[in-house]
Amino acid sequence: MRSAMSLIELVFTIVIMGIVVMSLPLILTQVQRNDAFAMQQEAILAAKAKIGNILTYEWDHNSYDSTASRSFVLTTVSPDTELDCNGTTFRRLGHVNADSRRKCSATGASASAIGADAGDGGNFTDIDDFNGLPPTTLVVTAGEDAGTLDYIFDLNLTTSINYAEDNATYSSNGTLNDFTFNPNNAPTTPTNIKVISVTVSGGDQNITLRAFTCNIGESMLLPSRPYQ
């Protein structure tokens, strides 16, 4: 016949069960934090991938010259005249006066306004074509895309492109002074800097990543990725 549990054994059992139950809220809190971190990293990854894709496109609709098969620095209406191109050498401050180096457009091509351009045919041909597009927010659905993209949650990606101020003091020795980069200060006229902003929402996340790209054309010695 089995003997009954003693009082001391009962006390020990209650204490041990209490310790185990007391740790459950801590475990649940840590799991919740891990889930939040995973959701955040997933949103950041989606935004980085989108920005990386946009950066493969031409800086502007007028950057690429199909006759010369290269991209040139464009004329802008930036108030900083130090960045103006020389009408004789077609170069500006910082350019190397040698063949196959970066240079300004000999035709005087200018940077265009943000948004789709005439002649695009509804296609994405340059960076600012992604501003506010697609018309409805891009949705990456976890269920249908999980096999290839491995997203856990549905994510909404919204893209915006704008110009940024480029006023500064540019010296001949390469020193840049009095420059403050402010992606939220969006001039209405073209400058030499474009800002790409991608906002990701979904899964209790609302994250915005930004990248900037400049009006620098390309060198024939180190050509950029082929025009999209």
Side-chain angles (χ1 to χ4, degrees), residues 183-203:
N184 296 317
N185 185 7
T188 56
T189 54
T191 67
N192 290 281
I193 303 175
K194 286 181 180 178
V195 179
I196 304 169
S197 301
V198 176
T199 299
V200 185
S201 59

Side-chain angles (χ1 to χ4, degrees), residues 113-136:
I114 298 295
D117 304 279
D120 283 347
N123 299 316
F124 298 111
T125 61
D126 61 283
I127 287 174
D128 58 72
D129 287 347
F130 287 87
N131 181 55
L133 297 177
T136 56

Side-chain angles (χ1 to χ4, degrees), residues 51 55 59 127 162 164 179 181 183 192-197 209-215:
I51 289 176
L55 286 173
W59 188 79
I127 287 174
N162 62 270
F179 176 74
F181 180 66
N192 290 281
I193 303 175
K194 286 181 180 178
V195 179
I196 304 169
S197 301
L209 294 188
R210 293 186 177 92
F212 69 92
T213 177
C214 299
N215 174 30

Side-chain angles (χ1 to χ4, degrees), residues 138-156:
L138 173 63
V139 179
V140 180
T141 305
E144 64 186 30
D145 297 329
T148 55
L149 300 178
D150 199 25
Y151 287 111
I152 302 174
F153 304 97
D154 293 352
L155 298 175
N156 300 324

Side-chain angles (χ1 to χ4, degrees), residues 18-40:
I19 294 174
V20 172
V21 173
M22 183 177 63
S23 64
L24 286 179
L26 299 177
I27 295 175
L28 294 176
T29 300
Q30 186 60 45
V31 170
Q32 186 178 19
R33 290 176 180 173
N34 291 342
D35 288 344
F37 179 76
M39 293 161 58
Q40 183 185 65

Side-chain angles (χ1 to χ4, degrees), residues 47-122:
K48 287 176 60 178
K50 186 63 177 178
I51 289 176
N53 171 255
I54 295 174
L55 286 173
T56 64
Y57 286 76
E58 286 291 334
W59 188 79
D60 191 85
H61 178 77
N62 298 323
S63 293
Y64 187 76
D65 188 321
S66 58
T67 302
S69 298
R70 62 179 293 188
S71 298
F72 290 96
V73 176
L74 301 178
T75 300
T76 69
V77 291
S78 169
D80 199 324
T81 57
E82 293 176 290
L83 296 177
D84 289 349
C85 293
N86 185 297
T88 302
T89 63
F90 302 110
R91 288 176 172 82
R92 67 179 182 185
L93 188 67
H95 280 175
V96 177
N97 192 7
D99 293 337
S100 301
R101 298 286 187 165
R102 300 178 191 273
K103 62 189 304 185
C104 302
S105 171
T107 62
S110 300
S112 57
I114 298 295
D117 304 279
D120 283 347

